[in-house]
Amino acid sequence: IRTPMNAIVGMTKLAEIHIEDREKVKDCLYKIGISSKHLLELINDVLDMSKIESGKIELHHEPFDFSVLLKALMITFYDESKQKGISYNILLSGNLEEKLEGDALRLNQILTNLLSNAMKFSPQGGSVTLEVREQKREDKKLWIAFYVRDTGCGISSENIERIFLPFEQENEGTTRQYGGTGLGLPITKRFVELMGGTISAEST
């Protein structure tokens, strides 16, 4: 929290000093915007983690359109993939209904976190794929498997389990190079488990 806050304070002071220099002020405002967005993401993650730890996160079982959720994910990451020169696809397997019941907000948060990470770590010319596959049916429950694959830098075998721990990233250079709070995957894991699912990672 301190790092982006310091950047906002510093850039604000710099803009005040160079108030007559339009280009300098414009640059400061741009950097303030980036730091503010990072700070907001961090605060949201900390608040989510706090709610999860205190048991105050509840799932809402409501009807939703699964196809609309997937279309939104396609649109959300389409521009980013084009800008980075990344091939981005969503693949569907099985007879998946469009009308489902569950917590669409949390499901969207899970998939957004995973796809955001995949995009972040994939280089230009790489690929990111979300495969959605029907796993099994049990009474009135439908179990769906989501596979997010990317051609990013990968994770060493000794660090693969650490990525689901709060504030953990593979190494210190990861934060400097790619950003992030180290909370996205732990929050994702907790949401998946609240839904009765499991999450794991494989890397080469």
Side-chain angles (χ1 to χ4, degrees), residues 119-137:
M119 288 287 177
K120 187 192 297 182
F121 291 102
S122 291
Q124 185 175 6
S127 67
V128 171
T129 304
L130 168 62
E131 184 183 351
V132 184
R133 190 186 300 170
E134 179 185 329
Q135 202 167 31
K136 65 177 179 178
R137 291 175 186 263

Side-chain angles (χ1 to χ4, degrees), residues 140-157:
K140 290 186 177 180
K141 286 185 179 179
L142 171 63
W143 297 91
I144 303 173
F146 298 92
Y147 300 90
V148 176
R149 298 187 178 91
D150 65 70
T151 55
C153 53
I155 304 163
S156 59
S157 56

